[in-house]
Amino acid sequence: MSSHSTISPAIYYWGTPVVLVTTINEDGTPNIGPISSAFWLGNRCMLGLESNSQTTINLLRTKQCVLNLPSDDMVAPVNALARTTGTIVVPDIKISLGYRYEKDKFAVAGLTPQPSDLVAPPRIQECPAQMEAELAGVHEMMSSLPGEAKGFTLAVEVRVLRTHVVVALRLQGHENRIDPDAWRPMIMNFQHLYGLKSGKPEVSALASIEEELYRLPAENPGH
Ligand SMILES: Cc1cc2nc3c(=O)[nH]c(=O)nc-3n(C[C@H](O)[C@H](O)[C@H](O)COP(=O)(O)O)c2cc1C
């Protein structure tokens, strides 16, 4: 007899790293967008982004970003950024999720901008790993969805141009390697923030959002 049963989750956030994406706004100020839909192949990163986020608007316009990786002890700044957006007119969907407009994300999160070498967006000094990157491709996801949901998410490919890491993350005796024992990524696991080994560090502000509010319109009713 099988021990499994079927469920229909509204979200499939099985556990991915938190990335703080810095970009440049239309007025030249920096923005920070916390995301967690990210995977890495070679020097490329695929980002899953809502098309109405300020991060997405800035990245498509300027073709530049920095991917800043927080360690698992950076819960406070990530929670401070949760449910904020750099879009002046907050989209209705985000209002219903409890989002508010925040002009100065660095100030609200208590983070420090650090100049980048090759791109305009600043790095985040407190993040142990920072990758300067440029836009490499855009794919519209969920294009079969009806109505406004169509085009709501994009898979955005970026090319890493330069990687900065704190000395403590470097694997001794190697020029270009990270010590996995020293690196403590923050993992977003069904809206909660975890470390890889030490368990859930703190309360996650994002987790106060009810999962069902994320449910997308059905594509094939009955399946
Ligand atoms: C931990 C965490 C993970 C998130 N993951 C994503 C994600 O993978 N993709 C996404 O589009 N938004 C994600 N969000 C929501 C964005 O932060 C939100 O869209 C926000 O509006 C982005 O800021 P911006 O509008 O200033 O770019 C996440 C938020 C938090 C706090």
Side-chain angles (χ1 to χ4, degrees), residues 18 31-37 48-50 53-56 78 82 84-87 94 99 105 188 193 206:
V18 175
N31 188 53
I32 307 175
I35 66 140
S36 56
S37 305
L49 296 175
E50 291 175 20
S53 292
Q54 190 62 35
T55 299
T56 314
V78 172
T84 67
T85 177
T87 54
K94 282 191 170 153
Y99 277 78
K105 302 279 196 82
M188 202 273 276
L193 303 176
L206 193 72

mmCIF file with all atom_site columns, all heavy atoms in Angstrom, residues 18 31-37 48-50 53-56 78 82 84-87 94 99 105 188 193 206, ligand 1:
data_model
loop_
_atom_site.group_PDB
_atom_site.id
_atom_site.type_symbol
_atom_site.label_atom_id
_atom_site.label_alt_id
_atom_site.label_comp_id
_atom_site.label_asym_id
_atom_site.label_entity_id
_atom_site.label_seq_id
_atom_site.pdbx_PDB_ins_code
_atom_site.Cartn_x
_atom_site.Cartn_y
_atom_site.Cartn_z
_atom_site.occupancy
_atom_site.B_iso_or_equiv
_atom_site.pdbx_formal_charge
_atom_site.auth_seq_id
_atom_site.auth_comp_id
_atom_site.auth_asym_id
_atom_site.auth_atom_id
_atom_site.pdbx_PDB_model_num
ATOM   1   N N   . VAL A 1 18  ? 17.675 32.459 -1.445  1.00 0.00 ? 18  VAL A N   1
ATOM   2   C CA  . VAL A 1 18  ? 17.240 33.858 -1.515  1.00 0.00 ? 18  VAL A CA  1
ATOM   3   C C   . VAL A 1 18  ? 18.331 34.667 -2.216  1.00 0.00 ? 18  VAL A C   1
ATOM   4   O O   . VAL A 1 18  ? 19.523 34.494 -1.943  1.00 0.00 ? 18  VAL A O   1
ATOM   5   C CB  . VAL A 1 18  ? 16.963 34.420 -0.109  1.00 0.00 ? 18  VAL A CB  1
ATOM   6   C CG1 . VAL A 1 18  ? 16.623 35.910 -0.169  1.00 0.00 ? 18  VAL A CG1 1
ATOM   7   C CG2 . VAL A 1 18  ? 15.835 33.637 0.563   1.00 0.00 ? 18  VAL A CG2 1
ATOM   8   N N   . ASN A 1 31  ? 17.486 49.981 -6.415  1.00 0.00 ? 31  ASN A N   1
ATOM   9   C CA  . ASN A 1 31  ? 16.387 49.199 -5.845  1.00 0.00 ? 31  ASN A CA  1
ATOM   10  C C   . ASN A 1 31  ? 16.934 47.837 -5.427  1.00 0.00 ? 31  ASN A C   1
ATOM   11  O O   . ASN A 1 31  ? 17.916 47.348 -5.982  1.00 0.00 ? 31  ASN A O   1
ATOM   12  C CB  . ASN A 1 31  ? 15.275 49.012 -6.883  1.00 0.00 ? 31  ASN A CB  1
ATOM   13  C CG  . ASN A 1 31  ? 14.040 48.368 -6.272  1.00 0.00 ? 31  ASN A CG  1
ATOM   14  O OD1 . ASN A 1 31  ? 13.518 48.845 -5.269  1.00 0.00 ? 31  ASN A OD1 1
ATOM   15  N ND2 . ASN A 1 31  ? 13.587 47.271 -6.856  1.00 0.00 ? 31  ASN A ND2 1
ATOM   16  N N   . ILE A 1 32  ? 16.288 47.245 -4.415  1.00 0.00 ? 32  ILE A N   1
ATOM   17  C CA  . ILE A 1 32  ? 16.606 45.859 -4.023  1.00 0.00 ? 32  ILE A CA  1
ATOM   18  C C   . ILE A 1 32  ? 15.321 45.044 -4.121  1.00 0.00 ? 32  ILE A C   1
ATOM   19  O O   . ILE A 1 32  ? 14.305 45.404 -3.516  1.00 0.00 ? 32  ILE A O   1
ATOM   20  C CB  . ILE A 1 32  ? 17.129 45.758 -2.572  1.00 0.00 ? 32  ILE A CB  1
ATOM   21  C CG1 . ILE A 1 32  ? 18.298 46.702 -2.323  1.00 0.00 ? 32  ILE A CG1 1
ATOM   22  C CG2 . ILE A 1 32  ? 17.528 44.312 -2.261  1.00 0.00 ? 32  ILE A CG2 1
ATOM   23  C CD1 . ILE A 1 32  ? 18.774 46.716 -0.861  1.00 0.00 ? 32  ILE A CD1 1
ATOM   24  N N   . GLY A 1 33  ? 15.367 43.940 -4.852  1.00 0.00 ? 33  GLY A N   1
ATOM   25  C CA  . GLY A 1 33  ? 14.230 43.024 -4.932  1.00 0.00 ? 33  GLY A CA  1
ATOM   26  C C   . GLY A 1 33  ? 14.622 41.663 -4.377  1.00 0.00 ? 33  GLY A C   1
ATOM   27  O O   . GLY A 1 33  ? 15.495 40.995 -4.948  1.00 0.00 ? 33  GLY A O   1
ATOM   28  N N   . PRO A 1 34  ? 14.012 41.244 -3.255  1.00 0.00 ? 34  PRO A N   1
ATOM   29  C CA  . PRO A 1 34  ? 14.313 39.888 -2.765  1.00 0.00 ? 34  PRO A CA  1
ATOM   30  C C   . PRO A 1 34  ? 13.552 38.857 -3.586  1.00 0.00 ? 34  PRO A C   1
ATOM   31  O O   . PRO A 1 34  ? 12.341 38.980 -3.775  1.00 0.00 ? 34  PRO A O   1
ATOM   32  C CB  . PRO A 1 34  ? 13.800 39.915 -1.316  1.00 0.00 ? 34  PRO A CB  1
ATOM   33  C CG  . PRO A 1 34  ? 12.725 40.956 -1.294  1.00 0.00 ? 34  PRO A CG  1
ATOM   34  C CD  . PRO A 1 34  ? 13.035 41.935 -2.395  1.00 0.00 ? 34  PRO A CD  1
ATOM   35  N N   . ILE A 1 35  ? 14.245 37.858 -4.088  1.00 0.00 ? 35  ILE A N   1
ATOM   36  C CA  . ILE A 1 35  ? 13.596 36.779 -4.833  1.00 0.00 ? 35  ILE A CA  1
ATOM   37  C C   . ILE A 1 35  ? 14.203 35.448 -4.371  1.00 0.00 ? 35  ILE A C   1
ATOM   38  O O   . ILE A 1 35  ? 15.197 35.416 -3.644  1.00 0.00 ? 35  ILE A O   1
ATOM   39  C CB  . ILE A 1 35  ? 13.741 36.933 -6.364  1.00 0.00 ? 35  ILE A CB  1
ATOM   40  C CG1 . ILE A 1 35  ? 15.210 36.790 -6.775  1.00 0.00 ? 35  ILE A CG1 1
ATOM   41  C CG2 . ILE A 1 35  ? 13.181 38.251 -6.846  1.00 0.00 ? 35  ILE A CG2 1
ATOM   42  C CD1 . ILE A 1 35  ? 15.386 36.014 -8.023  1.00 0.00 ? 35  ILE A CD1 1
ATOM   43  N N   . SER A 1 36  ? 13.604 34.370 -4.802  1.00 0.00 ? 36  SER A N   1
ATOM   44  C CA  . SER A 1 36  ? 14.163 33.060 -4.463  1.00 0.00 ? 36  SER A CA  1
ATOM   45  C C   . SER A 1 36  ? 14.024 32.061 -5.609  1.00 0.00 ? 36  SER A C   1
ATOM   46  O O   . SER A 1 36  ? 14.429 30.916 -5.459  1.00 0.00 ? 36  SER A O   1
ATOM   47  C CB  . SER A 1 36  ? 13.487 32.499 -3.206  1.00 0.00 ? 36  SER A CB  1
ATOM   48  O OG  . SER A 1 36  ? 12.101 32.453 -3.421  1.00 0.00 ? 36  SER A OG  1
ATOM   49  N N   . SER A 1 37  ? 13.437 32.494 -6.725  1.00 0.00 ? 37  SER A N   1
ATOM   50  C CA  . SER A 1 37  ? 13.349 31.608 -7.887  1.00 0.00 ? 37  SER A CA  1
ATOM   51  C C   . SER A 1 37  ? 14.613 31.795 -8.699  1.00 0.00 ? 37  SER A C   1
ATOM   52  O O   . SER A 1 37  ? 14.671 32.662 -9.578  1.00 0.00 ? 37  SER A O   1
ATOM   53  C CB  . SER A 1 37  ? 12.114 31.938 -8.722  1.00 0.00 ? 37  SER A CB  1
ATOM   54  O OG  . SER A 1 37  ? 10.964 31.891 -7.915  1.00 0.00 ? 37  SER A OG  1
ATOM   55  N N   . GLY A 1 48  ? 13.289 33.668 -11.811 1.00 0.00 ? 48  GLY A N   1
ATOM   56  C CA  . GLY A 1 48  ? 11.841 33.687 -12.008 1.00 0.00 ? 48  GLY A CA  1
ATOM   57  C C   . GLY A 1 48  ? 11.292 34.970 -11.425 1.00 0.00 ? 48  GLY A C   1
ATOM   58  O O   . GLY A 1 48  ? 11.345 35.178 -10.203 1.00 0.00 ? 48  GLY A O   1
ATOM   59  N N   . LEU A 1 49  ? 10.797 35.868 -12.289 1.00 0.00 ? 49  LEU A N   1
ATOM   60  C CA  . LEU A 1 49  ? 10.412 37.210 -11.835 1.00 0.00 ? 49  LEU A CA  1
ATOM   61  C C   . LEU A 1 49  ? 8.999  37.561 -12.248 1.00 0.00 ? 49  LEU A C   1
ATOM   62  O O   . LEU A 1 49  ? 8.599  37.299 -13.395 1.00 0.00 ? 49  LEU A O   1
ATOM   63  C CB  . LEU A 1 49  ? 11.354 38.256 -12.447 1.00 0.00 ? 49  LEU A CB  1
ATOM   64  C CG  . LEU A 1 49  ? 12.826 38.200 -12.060 1.00 0.00 ? 49  LEU A CG  1
ATOM   65  C CD1 . LEU A 1 49  ? 13.601 39.239 -12.878 1.00 0.00 ? 49  LEU A CD1 1
ATOM   66  C CD2 . LEU A 1 49  ? 13.008 38.446 -10.578 1.00 0.00 ? 49  LEU A CD2 1
ATOM   67  N N   . GLU A 1 50  ? 8.259  38.179 -11.340 1.00 0.00 ? 50  GLU A N   1
ATOM   68  C CA  . GLU A 1 50  ? 6.979  38.759 -11.709 1.00 0.00 ? 50  GLU A CA  1
ATOM   69  C C   . GLU A 1 50  ? 7.245  39.926 -12.652 1.00 0.00 ? 50  GLU A C   1
ATOM   70  O O   . GLU A 1 50  ? 8.107  40.766 -12.366 1.00 0.00 ? 50  GLU A O   1
ATOM   71  C CB  . GLU A 1 50  ? 6.233  39.250 -10.471 1.00 0.00 ? 50  GLU A CB  1
ATOM   72  C CG  . GLU A 1 50  ? 5.753  38.123 -9.587  1.00 0.00 ? 50  GLU A CG  1
ATOM   73  C CD  . GLU A 1 50  ? 5.126  38.633 -8.298  1.00 0.00 ? 50  GLU A CD  1
ATOM   74  O OE1 . GLU A 1 50  ? 4.721  39.813 -8.248  1.00 0.00 ? 50  GLU A OE1 1
ATOM   75  O OE2 . GLU A 1 50  ? 5.060  37.846 -7.353  1.00 0.00 ? 50  GLU A OE2 1
ATOM   76  N N   . SER A 1 53  ? 7.215  43.627 -11.207 1.00 0.00 ? 53  SER A N   1
ATOM   77  C CA  . SER A 1 53  ? 8.129  44.077 -10.151 1.00 0.00 ? 53  SER A CA  1
ATOM   78  C C   . SER A 1 53  ? 9.052  45.179 -10.673 1.00 0.00 ? 53  SER A C   1
ATOM   79  O O   . SER A 1 53  ? 9.443  45.162 -11.846 1.00 0.00 ? 53  SER A O   1
ATOM   80  C CB  . SER A 1 53  ? 9.002  42.920 -9.664  1.00 0.00 ? 53  SER A CB  1
ATOM   81  O OG  . SER A 1 53  ? 8.220  41.983 -8.996  1.00 0.00 ? 53  SER A OG  1
ATOM   82  N N   . GLN A 1 54  ? 9.447  46.075 -9.782  1.00 0.00 ? 54  GLN A N   1
ATOM   83  C CA  . GLN A 1 54  ? 10.382 47.131 -10.182 1.00 0.00 ? 54  GLN A CA  1
ATOM   84  C C   . GLN A 1 54  ? 11.705 46.514 -10.623 1.00 0.00 ? 54  GLN A C   1
ATOM   85  O O   . GLN A 1 54  ? 12.357 47.007 -11.552 1.00 0.00 ? 54  GLN A O   1
ATOM   86  C CB  . GLN A 1 54  ? 10.592 48.116 -9.025  1.00 0.00 ? 54  GLN A CB  1
ATOM   87  C CG  . GLN A 1 54  ? 11.352 49.362 -9.416  1.00 0.00 ? 54  GLN A CG  1
ATOM   88  C CD  . GLN A 1 54  ? 10.617 50.194 -10.465 1.00 0.00 ? 54  GLN A CD  1
ATOM   89  O OE1 . GLN A 1 54  ? 9.392  50.275 -10.459 1.00 0.00 ? 54  GLN A OE1 1
ATOM   90  N NE2 . GLN A 1 54  ? 11.365 50.783 -11.392 1.00 0.00 ? 54  GLN A NE2 1
ATOM   91  N N   . THR A 1 55  ? 12.106 45.427 -9.974  1.00 0.00 ? 55  THR A N   1
ATOM   92  C CA  . THR A 1 55  ? 13.339 44.723 -10.357 1.00 0.00 ? 55  THR A CA  1
ATOM   93  C C   . THR A 1 55  ? 13.289 44.316 -11.825 1.00 0.00 ? 55  THR A C   1
ATOM   94  O O   . THR A 1 55  ? 14.256 44.509 -12.571 1.00 0.00 ? 55  THR A O   1
ATOM   95  C CB  . THR A 1 55  ? 13.497 43.466 -9.467  1.00 0.00 ? 55  THR A CB  1
ATOM   96  O OG1 . THR A 1 55  ? 13.600 43.884 -8.110  1.00 0.00 ? 55  THR A OG1 1
ATOM   97  C CG2 . THR A 1 55  ? 14.719 42.655 -9.859  1.00 0.00 ? 55  THR A CG2 1
ATOM   98  N N   . THR A 1 56  ? 12.169 43.738 -12.235 1.00 0.00 ? 56  THR A N   1
ATOM   99  C CA  . THR A 1 56  ? 12.021 43.267 -13.617 1.00 0.00 ? 56  THR A CA  1
ATOM   100 C C   . THR A 1 56  ? 12.020 44.450 -14.582 1.00 0.00 ? 56  THR A C   1
ATOM   101 O O   . THR A 1 56  ? 12.699 44.422 -15.623 1.00 0.00 ? 56  THR A O   1
ATOM   102 C CB  . THR A 1 56  ? 10.708 42.476 -13.757 1.00 0.00 ? 56  THR A CB  1
ATOM   103 O OG1 . THR A 1 56  ? 10.606 41.578 -12.664 1.00 0.00 ? 56  THR A OG1 1
ATOM   104 C CG2 . THR A 1 56  ? 10.663 41.724 -15.061 1.00 0.00 ? 56  THR A CG2 1
ATOM   105 N N   . VAL A 1 78  ? 16.128 40.667 5.177   1.00 0.00 ? 78  VAL A N   1
ATOM   106 C CA  . VAL A 1 78  ? 15.228 40.035 4.195   1.00 0.00 ? 78  VAL A CA  1
ATOM   107 C C   . VAL A 1 78  ? 13.774 40.250 4.623   1.00 0.00 ? 78  VAL A C   1
ATOM   108 O O   . VAL A 1 78  ? 12.909 40.584 3.798   1.00 0.00 ? 78  VAL A O   1
ATOM   109 C CB  . VAL A 1 78  ? 15.560 38.540 4.027   1.00 0.00 ? 78  VAL A CB  1
ATOM   110 C CG1 . VAL A 1 78  ? 14.518 37.839 3.158   1.00 0.00 ? 78  VAL A CG1 1
ATOM   111 C CG2 . VAL A 1 78  ? 16.949 38.373 3.407   1.00 0.00 ? 78  VAL A CG2 1
ATOM   112 N N   . ALA A 1 82  ? 10.671 42.189 2.679   1.00 0.00 ? 82  ALA A N   1
ATOM   113 C CA  . ALA A 1 82  ? 9.489  41.408 2.281   1.00 0.00 ? 82  ALA A CA  1
ATOM   114 C C   . ALA A 1 82  ? 8.254  42.307 2.237   1.00 0.00 ? 82  ALA A C   1
ATOM   115 O O   . ALA A 1 82  ? 8.077  43.165 3.108   1.00 0.00 ? 82  ALA A O   1
ATOM   116 C CB  . ALA A 1 82  ? 9.265  40.265 3.275   1.00 0.00 ? 82  ALA A CB  1
ATOM   117 N N   . THR A 1 84  ? 7.590  44.710 0.299   1.00 0.00 ? 84  THR A N   1
ATOM   118 C CA  . THR A 1 84  ? 7.803  46.082 -0.170  1.00 0.00 ? 84  THR A CA  1
ATOM   119 C C   . THR A 1 84  ? 8.046  46.008 -1.667  1.00 0.00 ? 84  THR A C   1
ATOM   120 O O   . THR A 1 84  ? 8.512  44.980 -2.184  1.00 0.00 ? 84  THR A O   1
ATOM   121 C CB  . THR A 1 84  ? 9.026  46.759 0.490   1.00 0.00 ? 84  THR A CB  1
ATOM   122 O OG1 . THR A 1 84  ? 10.230 46.100 0.062   1.00 0.00 ? 84  THR A OG1 1
ATOM   123 C CG2 . THR A 1 84  ? 8.936  46.733 2.006   1.00 0.00 ? 84  THR A CG2 1
ATOM   124 N N   . THR A 1 85  ? 7.717  47.082 -2.375  1.00 0.00 ? 85  THR A N   1
ATOM   125 C CA  . THR A 1 85  ? 8.016  47.153 -3.798  1.00 0.00 ? 85  THR A CA  1
ATOM   126 C C   . THR A 1 85  ? 8.508  48.539 -4.150  1.00 0.00 ? 85  THR A C   1
ATOM   127 O O   . THR A 1 85  ? 8.114  49.524 -3.514  1.00 0.00 ? 85  THR A O   1
ATOM   128 C CB  . THR A 1 85  ? 6.797  46.803 -4.674  1.00 0.00 ? 85  THR A CB  1
ATOM   129 O OG1 . THR A 1 85  ? 7.167  46.964 -6.065  1.00 0.00 ? 85  THR A OG1 1
ATOM   130 C CG2 . THR A 1 85  ? 5.586  47.682 -4.377  1.00 0.00 ? 85  THR A CG2 1
ATOM   131 N N   . GLY A 1 86  ? 9.356  48.603 -5.165  1.00 0.00 ? 86  GLY A N   1
ATOM   132 C CA  . GLY A 1 86  ? 9.854  49.873 -5.655  1.00 0.00 ? 86  GLY A CA  1
ATOM   133 C C   . GLY A 1 86  ? 8.944  50.483 -6.705  1.00 0.00 ? 86  GLY A C   1
ATOM   134 O O   . GLY A 1 86  ? 9.246  51.562 -7.219  1.00 0.00 ? 86  GLY A O   1
ATOM   135 N N   . THR A 1 87  ? 7.836  49.808 -7.059  1.00 0.00 ? 87  THR A N   1
ATOM   136 C CA  . THR A 1 87  ? 6.892  50.411 -8.013  1.00 0.00 ? 87  THR A CA  1
ATOM   137 C C   . THR A 1 87  ? 6.013  51.398 -7.254  1.00 0.00 ? 87  THR A C   1
ATOM   138 O O   . THR A 1 87  ? 5.389  51.040 -6.244  1.00 0.00 ? 87  THR A O   1
ATOM   139 C CB  . THR A 1 87  ? 6.013  49.367 -8.728  1.00 0.00 ? 87  THR A CB  1
ATOM   140 O OG1 . THR A 1 87  ? 5.371  48.555 -7.747  1.00 0.00 ? 87  THR A OG1 1
ATOM   141 C CG2 . THR A 1 87  ? 6.827  48.497 -9.651  1.00 0.00 ? 87  THR A CG2 1
ATOM   142 N N   . LYS A 1 94  ? -0.556 42.941 -5.503  1.00 0.00 ? 94  LYS A N   1
ATOM   143 C CA  . LYS A 1 94  ? 0.383  43.130 -4.392  1.00 0.00 ? 94  LYS A CA  1
ATOM   144 C C   . LYS A 1 94  ? -0.297 43.837 -3.215  1.00 0.00 ? 94  LYS A C   1
ATOM   145 O O   . LYS A 1 94  ? 0.020  43.543 -2.058  1.00 0.00 ? 94  LYS A O   1
ATOM   146 C CB  . LYS A 1 94  ? 1.633  43.876 -4.857  1.00 0.00 ? 94  LYS A CB  1
ATOM   147 C CG  . LYS A 1 94  ? 2.579  42.946 -5.616  1.00 0.00 ? 94  LYS A CG  1
ATOM   148 C CD  . LYS A 1 94  ? 3.936  43.510 -5.879  1.00 0.00 ? 94  LYS A CD  1
ATOM   149 C CE  . LYS A 1 94  ? 4.832  42.388 -6.408  1.00 0.00 ? 94  LYS A CE  1
ATOM   150 N NZ  . LYS A 1 94  ? 5.899  42.871 -7.252  1.00 0.00 ? 94  LYS A NZ  1
ATOM   151 N N   . TYR A 1 99  ? 1.472  44.347 0.311   1.00 0.00 ? 99  TYR A N   1
ATOM   152 C CA  . TYR A 1 99  ? 2.684  45.086 -0.087  1.00 0.00 ? 99  TYR A CA  1
ATOM   153 C C   . TYR A 1 99  ? 2.483  46.595 0.047   1.00 0.00 ? 99  TYR A C   1
ATOM   154 O O   . TYR A 1 99  ? 1.373  47.099 -0.057  1.00 0.00 ? 99  TYR A O   1
ATOM   155 C CB  . TYR A 1 99  ? 3.036  44.782 -1.554  1.00 0.00 ? 99  TYR A CB  1
ATOM   156 C CG  . TYR A 1 99  ? 3.816  43.505 -1.758  1.00 0.00 ? 99  TYR A CG  1
ATOM   157 C CD1 . TYR A 1 99  ? 3.174  42.276 -1.718  1.00 0.00 ? 99  TYR A CD1 1
ATOM   158 C CD2 . TYR A 1 99  ? 5.176  43.540 -2.001  1.00 0.00 ? 99  TYR A CD2 1
ATOM   159 C CE1 . TYR A 1 99  ? 3.883  41.101 -1.915  1.00 0.00 ? 99  TYR A CE1 1
ATOM   160 C CE2 . TYR A 1 99  ? 5.889  42.375 -2.204  1.00 0.00 ? 99  TYR A CE2 1
ATOM   161 C CZ  . TYR A 1 99  ? 5.238  41.160 -2.162  1.00 0.00 ? 99  TYR A CZ  1
ATOM   162 O OH  . TYR A 1 99  ? 5.952  40.005 -2.356  1.00 0.00 ? 99  TYR A OH  1
ATOM   163 N N   . LYS A 1 105 ? 15.102 51.113 -0.398  1.00 0.00 ? 105 LYS A N   1
ATOM   164 C CA  . LYS A 1 105 ? 15.180 49.741 0.128   1.00 0.00 ? 105 LYS A CA  1
ATOM   165 C C   . LYS A 1 105 ? 16.427 49.543 0.995   1.00 0.00 ? 105 LYS A C   1
ATOM   166 O O   . LYS A 1 105 ? 16.391 48.778 1.962   1.00 0.00 ? 105 LYS A O   1
ATOM   167 C CB  . LYS A 1 105 ? 15.195 48.734 -1.031  1.00 0.00 ? 105 LYS A CB  1
ATOM   168 C CG  . LYS A 1 105 ? 13.999 48.798 -1.969  1.00 0.00 ? 105 LYS A CG  1
ATOM   169 C CD  . LYS A 1 105 ? 12.808 48.080 -1.414  1.00 0.00 ? 105 LYS A CD  1
ATOM   170 C CE  . LYS A 1 105 ? 11.771 47.820 -2.482  1.00 0.00 ? 105 LYS A CE  1
ATOM   171 N NZ  . LYS A 1 105 ? 12.026 46.663 -3.303  1.00 0.00 ? 105 LYS A NZ  1
ATOM   172 N N   . MET A 1 188 ? 14.650 29.699 0.944   1.00 0.00 ? 188 MET A N   1
ATOM   173 C CA  . MET A 1 188 ? 13.224 29.965 1.124   1.00 0.00 ? 188 MET A CA  1
ATOM   174 C C   . MET A 1 188 ? 12.458 28.665 0.843   1.00 0.00 ? 188 MET A C   1
ATOM   175 O O   . MET A 1 188 ? 12.553 28.102 -0.243  1.00 0.00 ? 188 MET A O   1
ATOM   176 C CB  . MET A 1 188 ? 12.762 31.074 0.192   1.00 0.00 ? 188 MET A CB  1
ATOM   177 C CG  . MET A 1 188 ? 11.491 31.757 0.679   1.00 0.00 ? 188 MET A CG  1
ATOM   178 S SD  . MET A 1 188 ? 10.036 30.907 0.119   1.00 0.00 ? 188 MET A SD  1
ATOM   179 C CE  . MET A 1 188 ? 9.865  31.603 -1.500  1.00 0.00 ? 188 MET A CE  1
ATOM   180 N N   . LEU A 1 193 ? 12.051 30.949 6.023   1.00 0.00 ? 193 LEU A N   1
ATOM   181 C CA  . LEU A 1 193 ? 13.475 31.110 5.763   1.00 0.00 ? 193 LEU A CA  1
ATOM   182 C C   . LEU A 1 193 ? 14.259 30.107 6.601   1.00 0.00 ? 193 LEU A C   1
ATOM   183 O O   . LEU A 1 193 ? 14.101 30.046 7.825   1.00 0.00 ? 193 LEU A O   1
ATOM   184 C CB  . LEU A 1 193 ? 13.898 32.545 6.107   1.00 0.00 ? 193 LEU A CB  1
ATOM   185 C CG  . LEU A 1 193 ? 13.109 33.633 5.360   1.00 0.00 ? 193 LEU A CG  1
ATOM   186 C CD1 . LEU A 1 193 ? 13.529 35.014 5.835   1.00 0.00 ? 193 LEU A CD1 1
ATOM   187 C CD2 . LEU A 1 193 ? 13.295 33.516 3.854   1.00 0.00 ? 193 LEU A CD2 1
ATOM   188 N N   . LEU A 1 206 ? 7.456  36.985 5.213   1.00 0.00 ? 206 LEU A N   1
ATOM   189 C CA  . LEU A 1 206 ? 6.720  36.568 4.013   1.00 0.00 ? 206 LEU A CA  1
ATOM   190 C C   . LEU A 1 206 ? 5.690  35.507 4.345   1.00 0.00 ? 206 LEU A C   1
ATOM   191 O O   . LEU A 1 206 ? 4.630  35.420 3.723   1.00 0.00 ? 206 LEU A O   1
ATOM   192 C CB  . LEU A 1 206 ? 7.714  36.023 2.981   1.00 0.00 ? 206 LEU A CB  1
ATOM   193 C CG  . LEU A 1 206 ? 7.169  35.822 1.574   1.00 0.00 ? 206 LEU A CG  1
ATOM   194 C CD1 . LEU A 1 206 ? 6.951  37.170 0.894   1.00 0.00 ? 206 LEU A CD1 1
ATOM   195 C CD2 . LEU A 1 206 ? 8.098  34.961 0.748   1.00 0.00 ? 206 LEU A CD2 1
HETATM 196 C C1  . LIG B 2 .   ? 12.089 35.551 0.539   1.00 0.00 ? 1   LIG B C1  1
HETATM 197 C C2  . LIG B 2 .   ? 11.369 36.110 -0.663  1.00 0.00 ? 1   LIG B C2  1
HETATM 198 C C3  . LIG B 2 .   ? 11.378 35.411 -1.847  1.00 0.00 ? 1   LIG B C3  1
HETATM 199 C C4  . LIG B 2 .   ? 10.720 35.917 -2.987  1.00 0.00 ? 1   LIG B C4  1
HETATM 200 N N1  . LIG B 2 .   ? 10.806 35.230 -4.177  1.00 0.00 ? 1   LIG B N1  1
HETATM 201 C C5  . LIG B 2 .   ? 10.344 35.820 -5.319  1.00 0.00 ? 1   LIG B C5  1
HETATM 202 C C6  . LIG B 2 .   ? 10.606 35.244 -6.589  1.00 0.00 ? 1   LIG B C6  1
HETATM 203 O O1  . LIG B 2 .   ? 11.250 34.204 -6.706  1.00 0.00 ? 1   LIG B O1  1
HETATM 204 N N2  . LIG B 2 .   ? 10.147 35.886 -7.692  1.00 0.00 ? 1   LIG B N2  1
HETATM 205 C C7  . LIG B 2 .   ? 9.451  37.071 -7.609  1.00 0.00 ? 1   LIG B C7  1
HETATM 206 O O2  . LIG B 2 .   ? 9.083  37.627 -8.658  1.00 0.00 ? 1   LIG B O2  1
HETATM 207 N N3  . LIG B 2 .   ? 9.181  37.625 -6.417  1.00 0.00 ? 1   LIG B N3  1
HETATM 208 C C8  . LIG B 2 .   ? 9.627  37.036 -5.272  1.00 0.00 ? 1   LIG B C8  1
HETATM 209 N N4  . LIG B 2 .   ? 9.404  37.622 -4.053  1.00 0.00 ? 1   LIG B N4  1
HETATM 210 C C9  . LIG B 2 .   ? 8.553  38.814 -4.022  1.00 0.00 ? 1   LIG B C9  1
HETATM 211 C C10 . LIG B 2 .   ? 9.305  40.060 -4.490  1.00 0.00 ? 1   LIG B C10 1
HETATM 212 O O3  . LIG B 2 .   ? 10.166 40.462 -3.458  1.00 0.00 ? 1   LIG B O3  1
HETATM 213 C C11 . LIG B 2 .   ? 8.281  41.121 -4.854  1.00 0.00 ? 1   LIG B C11 1
HETATM 214 O O4  . LIG B 2 .   ? 7.811  40.830 -6.163  1.00 0.00 ? 1   LIG B O4  1
HETATM 215 C C12 . LIG B 2 .   ? 8.780  42.545 -4.774  1.00 0.00 ? 1   LIG B C12 1
HETATM 216 O O5  . LIG B 2 .   ? 7.785  43.378 -5.324  1.00 0.00 ? 1   LIG B O5  1
HETATM 217 C C13 . LIG B 2 .   ? 10.072 42.796 -5.501  1.00 0.00 ? 1   LIG B C13 1
HETATM 218 O O6  . LIG B 2 .   ? 10.453 44.134 -5.241  1.00 0.00 ? 1   LIG B O6  1
HETATM 219 P P1  . LIG B 2 .   ? 10.405 45.212 -6.423  1.00 0.00 ? 1   LIG B P1  1
HETATM 220 O O7  . LIG B 2 .   ? 8.959  45.317 -6.891  1.00 0.00 ? 1   LIG B O7  1
HETATM 221 O O8  . LIG B 2 .   ? 10.902 46.488 -5.820  1.00 0.00 ? 1   LIG B O8  1
HETATM 222 O O9  . LIG B 2 .   ? 11.271 44.688 -7.500  1.00 0.00 ? 1   LIG B O9  1
HETATM 223 C C14 . LIG B 2 .   ? 10.017 37.138 -2.896  1.00 0.00 ? 1   LIG B C14 1
HETATM 224 C C15 . LIG B 2 .   ? 10.018 37.842 -1.692  1.00 0.00 ? 1   LIG B C15 1
HETATM 225 C C16 . LIG B 2 .   ? 10.692 37.345 -0.588  1.00 0.00 ? 1   LIG B C16 1
HETATM 226 C C17 . LIG B 2 .   ? 10.705 38.134 0.688   1.00 0.00 ? 1   LIG B C17 1
#
